[in-house]
Amino acid sequence: MKAIKLMLFASCLLLAATVHAQNLTELQRAALVHRDLVKTYEAIVDQQVQNIREVRGNFLPSVDFSYTLNRLRDNSLTALEYKQNDRFLGSITWNIFAGFKDNFDLKTARVNEEIDRLGLNAVKQDIFLNTALLMLEVYRNQANQKVAEDAVALYRDRHREVALKHQVGILTKSDLLRIKVELDNAEQEARRAQASVQKSVNALMRETGEEISLETLDFSCLENLPEKTDYAEMEAMLLKNRSELLALEKAIAAARFQVQSAKAQLYPRADVSANYRKLDFDDYYFGSSDLQEDDMRLQATVSINIFDGLKKYSRIRHARIEEKKSEYDRNELENTLKTQLHNTLLDLEVAFDNLQVARSSRAEAEENLRVTDLAFKQGLNTSSDILDAIFYLSRARFNVISAYTQVFGSHFELQRQIEGFDVSP
């Protein structure tokens, strides 16, 4: 018998060891791995890397080879061209100077890569926020389910007591039916609460790509309330860390580089090239004819456009307008984010105050139910009084859950606004 107990105990320990609790950080990391949205933005960054390599190619010479085989059918005596010939051409072309356009285009490409990396970082922050809010929703719905089930238990106990009193003639049929109606309604609310829990779990699984059960979820991150924060400190972190703001600042820099790139059209262009040409006549294969021509040529070319219908000046103005547009967008976004930060901190402050009031109301509602219960058992209160006491207690408990989760919801929103989530690999 002892051996069986030891085996059962060892099995329980082994089972407990294999059950791994899923905390918020692990779920957020899993979401980054499984979400195709992240992979899409990573692909966009990779495209920008290839764009940089393409622009770098402008600094290198261009090498071309060509081979042409001609076959002419002409029976006229005046034909001056050989009926059969082949031609080989090789050339190397290198741009020496183009008004530093290639240099500014390369800087623009590098800045565009940084912008897309910031966009990837913003997407990761959004996924971390969504995962945190969905986990918070599971916690809230599970707590609401517990309150709903406790209300059902209270109504059942009181229904049993009223039924006994009705049998002995102390209470009327109306009292019994009134509590039965409330009991049925509470059971319906409990079933809806249970469904809400499962739906929130499904949403969390969709966000993270992980198999999740209520038994494995670790809500320890929600045990301790976050600390209150100062607006000035949060604003400084927002301006320093927010990817969208940094991306627009990079866009302004890219627009300035494009202004300089457009100005390059006002400067002369210098190119050097080397060409080699070899021709074979009256033969089918290159290099086997006795009648050949070949030449090698080196060229240096300097050119400048004098007039192109003022198109180059339009391109310069267009680039300057793009720079101004990015500055306007940046200012608008900064003002919007500051307003959102103000509102989030206000919501956090209200949530803290509401939580304090809700906890006090819950204690008062519990005491009210206790006093009402005593009076009801002594026949001093009616069934309506006990129903009101249960309703008030349930509402007070729901208010505590709402305020408590609102504190964490505002806290998570605040972390997103200052990009306080650690999304680094």
Side-chain angles (χ1 to χ4, degrees):
M1 188 67 180
K2 290 183 178 180
I4 295 176
K5 290 182 178 180
L6 288 174
M7 291 177 62
L8 291 175
F9 180 71
S11 299
C12 292
L13 289 179
L14 180 61
L15 180 62
T18 56
V19 175
H20 175 67
Q22 296 170 297
N23 58 36
L24 177 58
T25 302
E26 292 176 349
L27 292 177
Q28 289 172 328
R29 295 290 175 184
L32 293 185
V33 173
H34 297 134
R35 291 296 300 275
D36 287 335
L37 180 62
V38 176
K39 298 175 184 178
T40 298
Y41 275 81
E42 289 175 343
I44 293 174
V45 173
D46 290 339
Q47 286 179 330
Q48 288 297 340
V49 173
Q50 298 306 316
N51 289 339
I52 292 176
R53 293 178 179 175
E54 180 181 352
V55 175
R56 280 178 178 170
N58 295 330
F59 292 89
L60 301 176
S62 175
V63 182
D64 298 280
F65 293 99
S66 66
Y67 175 74
T68 304
L69 180 65
N70 292 318
R71 292 295 177 262
L72 177 64
R73 182 175 182 180
D74 191 349
N75 296 324
S76 65
L77 297 177
T78 60
L80 300 178
E81 185 177 359
Y82 287 93
K83 294 182 180 181
Q84 300 169 169
N85 64 73
D86 50 352
R87 177 183 303 171
F88 171 79
L89 178 64
S91 65
I92 300 177
T93 305
W94 195 4
N95 173 253
I96 301 300
F97 181 75
F100 303 106
K101 181 179 187 305
D102 295 337
N103 185 47
F104 290 117
D105 288 344
L106 179 59
K107 290 182 178 180
T108 301
R110 287 172 174 168
V111 171
N112 287 336
E113 181 198 2
E114 294 175 2
I115 291 174
D116 286 336
R117 289 192 183 277
L118 289 170
L120 172 61
N121 188 74
V123 169
K124 291 180 178 180
Q125 290 284 334
D126 288 336
I127 290 177
F128 268 46
L129 172 62
N130 292 338
T131 304
L133 293 179
L134 287 172
M135 189 170 184
L136 181 62
E137 183 178 356
V138 175
Y139 175 85
R140 179 175 58 247
N141 290 337
Q142 194 174 20
N144 288 340
Q145 180 187 3
K146 178 67 169 55
V147 173
E149 290 174 349
D150 289 345
V152 171
L154 289 173
Y155 282 123
R156 283 177 179 170
D157 290 341
R158 301 322 180 267
H159 180 266
R160 189 181 305 111
E161 293 177 5
V162 171
L164 292 175
K165 291 185 178 183
H166 170 65
Q167 291 177 0
V168 297
I170 298 177
L171 295 177
T172 65
K173 180 76 169 182
S174 176
D175 293 318
L176 181 62
L177 293 177
R178 188 180 296 114
I179 291 187
K180 185 61 170 64
V181 170
E182 292 298 330
L183 173 60
D184 293 341
N185 181 71
E187 290 176 343
Q188 294 178 38
E189 292 293 337
R191 284 191 290 270
R192 282 192 288 267
Q194 183 179 6
S196 296
V197 172
Q198 188 56 50
K199 288 193 293 184
S200 58
V201 171
N202 293 340
L204 185 59
M205 287 193 293
R206 165 66 184 89
E207 183 71 21
T208 61
E210 291 279 293
E211 287 294 328
I212 297 173
S213 64
L214 289 174
E215 292 76 16
T216 60
L217 279 178
D218 179 11
F219 295 106
S220 59
C221 62
L222 304 177
E223 291 178 355
N224 300 319
L225 289 173
E227 297 181 357
K228 296 182 179 180
T229 55
D230 179 65
Y231 174 79
E233 179 183 356
M234 294 297 101
E235 179 183 327
M237 296 181 67
L238 183 147
L239 297 178
K240 177 183 177 182
N241 300 333
R242 191 64 186 244
S243 295
E244 292 87 342
L245 284 176
L246 298 178
L248 284 175
E249 291 175 356
K250 297 291 184 182
I252 294 172
R256 290 171 181 167
F257 289 142
Q258 284 303 293
V259 171
Q260 299 300 321
S261 177
K263 286 182 178 180
Q265 302 171 86
L266 303 175
Y267 296 92
R269 177 185 177 93
D271 298 276
V272 295
S273 63
N275 299 284
Y276 174 74
R277 184 181 66 169
K278 184 175 181 62
L279 289 83
D280 290 329
F281 302 98
D282 282 334
D283 202 351
Y284 286 98
Y285 300 103
F286 172 72
S288 62
S289 172
D290 293 332
L291 184 56
Q292 298 179 347
E293 287 184 6
D294 63 343
D295 65 78
M296 176 175 247
R297 184 175 303 175
L298 297 175
Q299 290 182 328
T301 305
V302 177
S303 61
I304 185 171
N305 175 260
I306 303 301
F307 182 75
D308 65 348
L310 303 179
K311 289 189 293 184
K312 62 173 70 72
Y313 297 100
S314 296
R315 297 189 189 102
I316 295 173
R317 285 193 291 269
H318 182 278
R320 286 174 175 167
I321 293 172
E322 186 65 28
E323 178 185 354
K324 289 295 183 181
K325 176 177 172 293
S326 298
E327 291 177 354
Y328 299 147
D329 290 341
R330 199 266 180 205
N331 294 336
E332 280 291 321
L333 180 60
E334 180 179 336
N335 293 330
T336 300
L337 292 178
K338 286 181 179 179
T339 302
Q340 292 177 355
L341 181 62
H342 269 296
N343 292 339
T344 302
L345 289 174
L346 180 61
D347 290 339
L348 184 61
E349 184 69 24
V350 171
F352 272 115
D353 294 340
N354 287 344
L355 179 60
Q356 183 178 359
V357 174
R359 284 175 170 174
S360 176
S361 298
R362 181 182 59 185
E364 295 168 356
E366 290 172 349
E367 178 63 17
N368 178 58
L369 178 61
R370 187 186 69 81
V371 173
T372 304
D373 248 343
L374 290 176
F376 178 73
K377 290 177 181 179
Q378 297 173 2
L380 301 177
N381 281 337
T382 65
S383 59
S384 297
D385 296 324
I386 197 67
L387 290 177
D388 290 341
I390 295 174
F391 172 76
Y392 295 148
L393 177 59
S394 297
R395 186 174 65 179
R397 289 177 175 176
F398 282 131
N399 288 340
V400 171
I401 296 170
S402 177
Y404 190 83
T405 54
Q406 183 59 45
V407 169
F408 281 96
S410 298
H411 171 69
F412 291 143
E413 292 282 355
L414 183 62
Q415 294 303 305
R416 171 62 185 95
Q417 290 175 358
I418 64 172
E419 299 210 354
F421 294 115
D422 182 13
V423 299
S424 58

